[in-house]
Amino acid sequence: MNALINSLIYGIIILLIVFTIVAYLTWIERKFAGRMQSRIGPYYVGKPHGWLQPIADVLKLILKEEITPKNVDKLIYNLAPFAVLTPSLLLFAVLPFSEKIIISNSSVGILIFLAISSIIIIGGFMAGWASNSKYPLISAIRGGAQIVSYEIPLLFSIIVPCLLAGSLNPLEIVKKQKIWFILYPFVGQISFLIFLISGLAEENRTPFDIPEAESELVAGYTVEYSSMKFAMFYAGEYAHLLALSGLGTILFLGGWKGPFLPGPIWFIIKSIILFLILLWIRWSYLRIRIDQLLKFSWKFLFPVSVLNLLLTGLIVILR
Amino acid sequence: MVKALYITLKNLFRKPVTVMYPDKKREMPKRMRSPLFALTKDEDGIIKCIACKLCENICPSNVIKVLPSKEKNEKGRPYPEEYELNLSACLACEYCVQVCPDDAIVMIRIFGWATKNKEDLILKKEKLLENYEKYKDLISECTGEFLRKMQTPRRQN
Amino acid sequence: MEVKRIESNGFEELWVNMGPQHPASHGVFRMQIKVDGEVIKEVIPHIGYLHRGVEKLGEFLTPVQFLPVLDRNDYLSSVSNEFPFALAIEKLANISVPERAEYLRVIAAELMRISSHLVFFGTFCLDMGGALGGGSTIFLYAFREREKILDILEKWTGSRMHLNLITFGGVRYDIYPGFDKDLKDFLKDFENKIKEYEDMIENNPVFLARTKKVGILPKEIAMEHGCSGPVLRGSGIKFDLRKAKPYSVYNKFEFEIPSFPDGDVYSRYKVRLMEMKESIKILRQAIDGIPSGPINSLMPLKVKTHIKLKEGEVYEAVESPRGENGVYIVSDGKFGLYRVKLRTPTFYNLSVIPYLLKGALIADVVAILGSLDPVFGDVDR
């Protein structure tokens, strides 16, 4: 009973914090991208740095008119945004913010994370099918193919720190990191790179954002949505990205360890730094074509990640 | 492969090139040709235009209409009774400024002169004279005399 | 357009419409594409959305009045539209041009060539990268450089894009004091920036994979359809009007003509990049050698019947950033022109689209269309 109330309180607090951070992640992205392109990001709302911009965006999205096309499949059309937002928020249940703050402490936390994050694409496919039009359908089909191909390298690169630490529990993985796993001689860096690339592909970010913001199919599978439902897709994407960065910090960058500041703040800072690296890659590269994407995954990433795993196994045995 | 990331990072630390309009305005060059016009007056406050109709003749899109008066004004010159200029079709080619023998019509170097209805874009004589009073220090460097002096083939002795 | 499904042999083929309003079609252009999965089977293009009747206007406007209207044809490099018209009328009426005016015309033409190629550069990467992503970064860098060129042109003539600079017998505006310092500062800065952008794009395996061996145009097809400019030089034929039939003072400058034999999207992009570097060379030689003197050989214009022509017909052409831009005039001895025909480069360059798109994937459509660099004011006039 006590543990249940504990989890409930932690759950509500973490949910509020996550919503605020997700709203301000859009502001960070626009400022950062603006500076890289020799311009200033948001400026007018809350001069001179535009820090009230996310509030203005949320108000605008709430007050817009909801337009539903005529021949859509009503049940699936209305359920699709929830199917994308809910798993993205559920992912925070298994990430530890510090030694004591974790909503659900289970011994297979990483497995639960991977299982939940694979459901998110089903929401995308529902959206693409239910909007009765060609362009969302083409983009949803491409999205499905892309995510299925990049699941396996992601899985193999996540297993490497679990092998080195010897358990699937996120708390144990952070406690066993005397030096951070990214600094491990050879397998650490390769796993980190594969994790970054597959994470970008899972997330539909450039250079792999084929389902989303195309030049031929104008906005991908969310093209028929407006107002609050579009906001849910948008927030779901950023929450998924933040959760992925959180997982990256736990596996490779040492979790909550650090001098002077308390644990949760270090966790949030490291997640945001990893998020900035993903942003930096997004705003520098062009977009890859769909058949080259699949060739890259099956012919290059898959063998490399398998070899990496074998090498890690060898190291663990010899230790 | 990593070169692209390096160049983006370099640009992160350069100064942005934005000019924060409308808090700060951009410096307009001296010869700027933005299609807002004014009819000039001389030192005594009398209009300089002699209604010779050269500007109406040369305009490629026929935006100027001049109606000369029947009697002369107090300086002994004819003057235009009605002068109408339709800004919505002007090409900003500066031909009318070049042919005017008296420097009577000039261009103003101003940027934001948009209006709310289409009738405000047809400028009559009073509005053009009022523009001259309002924007006296924003007149472009290229008056008729300046352009003709620049283009005349000089005699080589 | 409604979805028409054609069932033959059990496969279904869709007609997809890339309509006149589209974020990546470079203007108003409509294509109906027949698609089988991802491979394109047939293309039907539709043009004519920007037709303004310029050739008919040439019949009742006098030549002096027609010059500012011609500026709006190829709106990205407006000097190359007035240039052949002025050359043709000067040939018919036997007017000579002083040397300083020729140098100023060449400087303006080369500056607008760099500006137009920068627009190609930016929008090509924007189409392939996405409006939120790496493409827009390169787009904003290219337009940052273009702003400096447009500022120089504004200080010189007063207007940024439609210059109205050339007139019969010379040019209309002389350079301001401090022009050569501005131009030399810009050229020095631009050389370093071009190296940066070249490095940024060419070492990118994504870009190379999307542009090499895509959209190959063989030599014979290009010559049959009448292509010119970088489309022709990207297929291996070294033909440039500035060297084959030199006009104005181009025979006094030293420069080379790049051409690549492959014929794919990458070689067309590379030709335009090298042309920008050659333009920098020409500009340096021109600004160092400007002679002094008058800028016009006729008295400034007073009435619209400024020039009287004798009977005859003439054709003159100029190398614009897109190809061969030509004007054919028939005059009947009165003050107007009997017939004006404009030979615009993009109209003939676009006619190879049904050949190029057959057998390509949908994702290649934007790359191929972008590499032909169409401007629809040119096509529809």
Side-chain angles (χ1 to χ4, degrees):
Chain A
M1 197 59 206
N2 214 6
L4 192 64
I5 297 191
N6 233 5
S7 296
L8 205 63
I9 296 181
Y10 278 152
I12 294 181
I13 295 181
I14 289 186
L15 204 63
L16 285 175
I17 295 183
V18 161
F19 263 129
T20 321
I21 296 184
V22 160
Y24 272 87
L25 275 184
T26 52
W27 179 80
I28 293 181
E29 169 162 23
R30 285 164 76 168
K31 271 289 190 198
F32 194 65
R35 283 289 159 145
M36 280 205 292
Q37 295 174 349
S38 288
R39 59 185 174 93
I40 307 181
Y43 170 80
Y44 284 108
V45 194
K47 295 186 183 183
H49 291 295
W51 53 272
L52 286 176
Q53 183 76 35
I55 302 181
D57 277 341
V58 166
L59 275 179
K60 173 201 86 149
L61 281 172
I62 293 179
L63 295 174
K64 255 192 181 182
E65 178 186 353
E66 288 248 6
I67 303 179
T68 314
K70 209 162 54 160
N71 293 332
V72 295
D73 197 341
K74 287 225 168 25
L75 185 64
I76 305 185
Y77 182 82
N78 289 330
L79 272 184
F82 293 99
V84 166
L85 183 64
T86 320
S88 311
L89 291 176
L90 266 181
L91 290 173
F92 285 95
V94 290
L95 292 179
F97 276 62
S98 85
E99 277 190 30
K100 303 199 184 54
I101 305 182
I102 180 172
I103 299 181
S104 103
N105 189 3
S106 83
S107 56
V108 282
I110 305 281
L111 190 62
I112 296 182
F113 188 97
L114 279 176
I116 297 182
S117 87
S118 308
I119 300 185
I120 296 182
I121 186 56
I122 297 188
F125 204 78
M126 282 161 66
W129 177 260
S131 338
N132 188 13
S133 153
K134 275 180 286 215
Y135 300 112
L137 187 65
I138 298 184
S139 113
I141 293 177
R142 287 181 180 176
Q146 174 184 326
I147 297 221
V148 160
S149 328
Y150 277 89
E151 286 276 350
I152 301 188
L154 184 70
L155 186 72
F156 283 173
S157 75
I158 288 185
I159 292 184
V160 167
C162 301
L163 268 185
L164 289 174
S167 102
L168 279 177
N169 193 353
L171 276 174
E172 298 293 317
I173 296 183
V174 177
K175 282 185 186 152
K176 292 256 175 79
Q177 286 191 28
K178 295 207 184 42
I179 50 170
W180 293 353
F181 280 150
I182 191 178
L183 301 172
Y184 237 75
F186 201 54
V187 290
Q189 284 99 15
I190 296 188
S191 321
F192 187 61
L193 278 175
I194 298 182
F195 173 76
L196 269 186
I197 297 178
S198 319
L200 275 178
E202 285 281 313
E203 213 351 79
N204 291 342
R205 300 283 271 187
T206 334
F208 305 115
D209 73 340
I210 291 170
E212 229 181 35
E214 272 267 29
S215 306
E216 306 136 30
L217 322 170
V218 178
Y221 52 79
T222 62
V223 79
E224 298 281 351
Y225 286 88
S226 53
S227 167
M228 218 41 215
K229 301 193 180 119
F230 181 69
M232 286 204 265
F233 275 112
Y234 207 56
E237 174 184 337
Y238 276 92
H240 190 192
L241 203 55
L242 187 65
L244 209 71
S245 318
L247 186 70
T249 1
I250 289 180
L251 291 177
F252 294 100
L253 292 180
W256 61 77
K257 299 195 173 155
F260 308 123
L261 296 170
I265 302 208
W266 268 121
F267 179 76
I268 293 181
I269 289 182
K270 284 185 199 173
S271 296
I272 292 190
I273 291 183
L274 201 54
F275 175 75
L276 284 180
I277 293 184
L278 291 177
L279 265 189
W280 186 20
I281 297 182
R282 176 192 194 189
W283 292 92
S284 310
Y285 282 119
L286 305 171
R287 184 186 300 136
I288 201 171
R289 216 170 58 185
I290 180 78
D291 58 330
Q292 290 162 355
L293 180 89
L294 299 175
K295 263 191 236 177
F296 178 64
S297 157
W298 289 107
K299 287 196 187 168
F300 180 70
L301 266 191
F302 180 59
V304 167
S305 51
V306 167
L307 285 173
N308 195 22
L309 194 60
L310 291 175
L311 205 59
T312 318
L314 218 60
I315 291 183
V316 168
I317 292 185
L318 292 176
R319 197 158 51 166
Chain B
M1 178 110 179
V2 194
K3 216 78 204 254
L5 291 175
Y6 170 63
I7 289 179
T8 325
L9 193 64
K10 216 160 73 160
N11 273 300
L12 183 62
F13 298 115
R14 280 193 187 141
K15 201 162 160 308
V17 290
T18 327
V19 172
M20 302 310 301
Y21 190 83
D23 293 340
K24 300 195 188 116
K25 297 201 200 290
R26 182 177 158 253
E27 181 72 37
M28 305 293 178
K30 289 197 280 212
R31 295 185 189 178
M32 174 173 155
R33 254 196 271 164
S34 126
L36 189 64
F37 294 86
L39 281 177
T40 55
K41 304 181 180 168
D42 58 6
E43 312 83 43
D44 302 328
I46 317 280
I47 188 173
K48 266 195 196 174
C49 173
I50 57 172
C52 64
K53 287 203 181 207
L54 274 178
C55 51
E56 183 179 349
N57 187 301
I58 193 96
C59 178
S61 0
N62 284 337
V63 295
I64 302 186
K65 296 202 181 356
V66 185
L67 188 66
S69 68
K70 305 248 183 342
E71 59 287 327
K72 307 197 194 253
N73 61 0
E74 53 254 24
K75 285 241 169 154
R77 295 199 295 246
Y79 65 95
E81 180 134 354
E82 279 172 26
Y83 194 103
E84 183 182 302
L85 201 147
N86 188 355
L87 272 187
S88 57
C90 174
L91 292 176
C93 58
E94 259 190 335
Y95 275 167
C96 52
V97 173
Q98 182 175 340
V99 296
C100 181
D102 241 355
D103 279 359
I105 184 168
V106 287
M107 282 186 139
I108 312 275
R109 289 184 291 140
I110 195 173
F111 183 62
W113 42 266
T115 61
K116 287 197 178 135
N117 21 336
K118 197 153 179 213
E119 288 79 27
D120 286 343
L121 278 183
I122 302 184
L123 305 177
K124 302 260 185 212
K125 185 169 84 159
E126 294 80 21
K127 186 80 172 52
L128 287 168
L129 288 172
E130 188 187 304
N131 278 349
Y132 179 66
E133 293 300 322
K134 238 185 350 181
Y135 301 119
K136 217 182 238 181
D137 48 351
L138 281 179
I139 293 183
S140 150
E141 187 186 54
C142 292
T143 55
E145 194 56 43
F146 183 80
L147 282 176
R148 283 194 295 269
K149 197 154 148 243
M150 207 162 44
Q151 290 176 24
T152 315
R154 296 176 273 273
R155 286 174 193 266
Q156 313 273 344
N157 281 337
Chain C
M1 160 132 198
E2 319 89 45
V3 173
K4 279 201 251 173
R5 286 209 187 96
I6 305 169
E7 303 209 359
S8 59
N9 298 336
F11 293 121
E12 291 192 354
E13 291 168 338
L14 282 179
W15 281 97
V16 175
N17 191 22
M18 264 184 85
Q21 301 153 310
H22 203 277
S25 70
H26 287 272
V28 276
F29 182 49
R30 178 179 175 212
M31 284 195 287
Q32 289 179 283
I33 309 180
K34 184 154 108 173
V35 163
D36 173 19
E38 282 260 346
V39 177
I40 298 181
K41 289 288 168 81
E42 200 183 318
V43 169
I44 305 182
H46 297 267
I47 57 175
Y49 287 90
L50 202 53
H51 180 70
R52 296 159 284 182
V54 169
E55 293 185 0
K56 178 72 183 173
L57 270 183
E59 290 177 16
F60 59 85
L61 288 178
T62 60
V64 178
Q65 283 180 319
F66 193 46
L67 267 179
V69 174
L70 260 190
D71 256 349
R72 271 103 174 132
N73 239 353
D74 173 6
Y75 39 81
L76 286 181
S77 80
S78 58
V79 165
S80 60
N81 293 313
E82 308 164 358
F83 212 158
F85 191 68
L87 286 178
I89 300 266
E90 282 160 9
K91 194 159 168 199
L92 259 189
N94 258 341
I95 308 175
S96 70
V97 181
E99 216 179 322
R100 185 178 170 100
E102 303 260 31
Y103 272 75
L104 287 179
R105 282 180 182 180
V106 164
I107 289 181
E110 294 303 316
L111 272 179
M112 299 235 67
R113 189 183 309 264
I114 296 182
S115 148
S116 169
H117 283 329
L118 276 174
V119 171
F120 157 74
F121 198 56
T123 53
F124 188 53
C125 296
L126 179 69
D127 285 340
M128 292 212 295
L132 304 165
S136 69
T137 313
I138 303 178
F139 173 75
L140 284 172
Y141 292 161
F143 271 60
R144 180 181 67 185
E145 307 308 314
R146 185 174 176 247
E147 281 296 311
K148 298 186 189 148
I149 298 185
L150 293 182
D151 277 345
I152 293 182
L153 285 174
E154 191 178 15
K155 281 195 208 163
W156 177 9
T157 68
S159 159
R160 277 155 62 108
M161 276 171 78
H162 301 295
L163 300 184
N164 200 11
L165 175 73
I166 298 187
T167 184
F168 307 124
V171 294
R172 282 178 70 208
Y173 294 93
D174 205 350
I175 53 180
Y176 58 97
F179 178 76
D180 47 349
K181 178 172 173 319
D182 274 346
L183 192 61
K184 285 187 183 154
D185 283 343
F186 164 71
L187 286 178
K188 199 162 73 147
D189 187 39
F190 189 56
E191 261 181 338
N192 298 338
K193 291 278 172 60
I194 277 199
K195 247 172 63 59
E196 242 183 52
Y197 304 148
E198 202 180 337
D199 280 341
M200 180 169 177
I201 290 198
E202 298 219 2
N203 292 332
N204 196 346
V206 174
F207 182 79
L208 294 177
R210 271 195 88 166
T211 54
K212 282 212 183 217
K213 300 207 188 328
V214 167
I216 298 189
L217 184 68
K219 260 199 235 183
E220 298 79 21
I221 308 264
M223 281 206 292
E224 244 178 52
H225 283 259
C227 307
S228 55
V231 174
L232 190 66
R233 276 176 251 147
S235 297
I237 306 182
K238 251 193 183 183
F239 180 72
D240 188 335
L241 273 179
R242 295 176 284 174
K243 288 265 189 199
K245 303 183 197 163
Y247 52 92
S248 192
V249 279
Y250 272 107
N251 44 9
K252 291 198 183 161
F253 301 123
E254 280 184 27
F255 58 99
E256 280 147 25
I257 308 175
S259 94
F260 293 88
D262 286 327
D264 52 8
V265 167
Y266 180 74
S267 17
R268 292 196 276 269
Y269 147 81
K270 193 85 180 159
V271 163
R272 290 188 175 106
L273 194 72
M274 317 273 302
E275 270 188 14
M276 279 205 272
K277 295 186 184 169
E278 300 297 320
S279 287
I280 298 182
K281 269 198 237 170
I282 299 183
L283 275 173
R284 284 220 164 102
Q285 295 171 39
I287 193 71
D288 282 334
I290 287 195
S292 55
I295 56 171
N296 204 334
S297 68
L298 297 179
M299 293 299 287
L301 74 103
K302 278 249 172 217
V303 283
K304 69 180 177 188
T305 51
H306 183 61
I307 302 243
K308 189 165 181 357
L309 303 164
K310 50 186 203 289
E311 277 193 45
E313 54 189 38
V314 69
Y315 173 78
E316 281 285 337
V318 148
E319 179 82 20
S320 89
R322 279 162 191 86
E324 173 179 340
N325 200 353
V327 165
Y328 175 68
I329 298 182
V330 176
S331 125
D332 57 353
K334 307 203 179 71
F335 286 112
L337 300 166
Y338 185 69
R339 170 82 170 111
V340 176
K341 155 107 180 114
L342 306 168
R343 190 258 185 225
T344 49
T346 319
F347 187 70
Y348 299 92
N349 283 351
L350 262 192
S351 60
V352 294
I353 280 220
Y355 174 81
L356 276 182
L357 283 184
K358 203 176 279 207
L361 305 175
I362 292 190
D364 286 335
V365 170
V366 274
I368 296 180
L369 192 60
S371 79
L372 293 178
D373 200 9
V375 166
F376 284 91
D378 238 3
V379 173
D380 297 332
R381 278 162 263 151

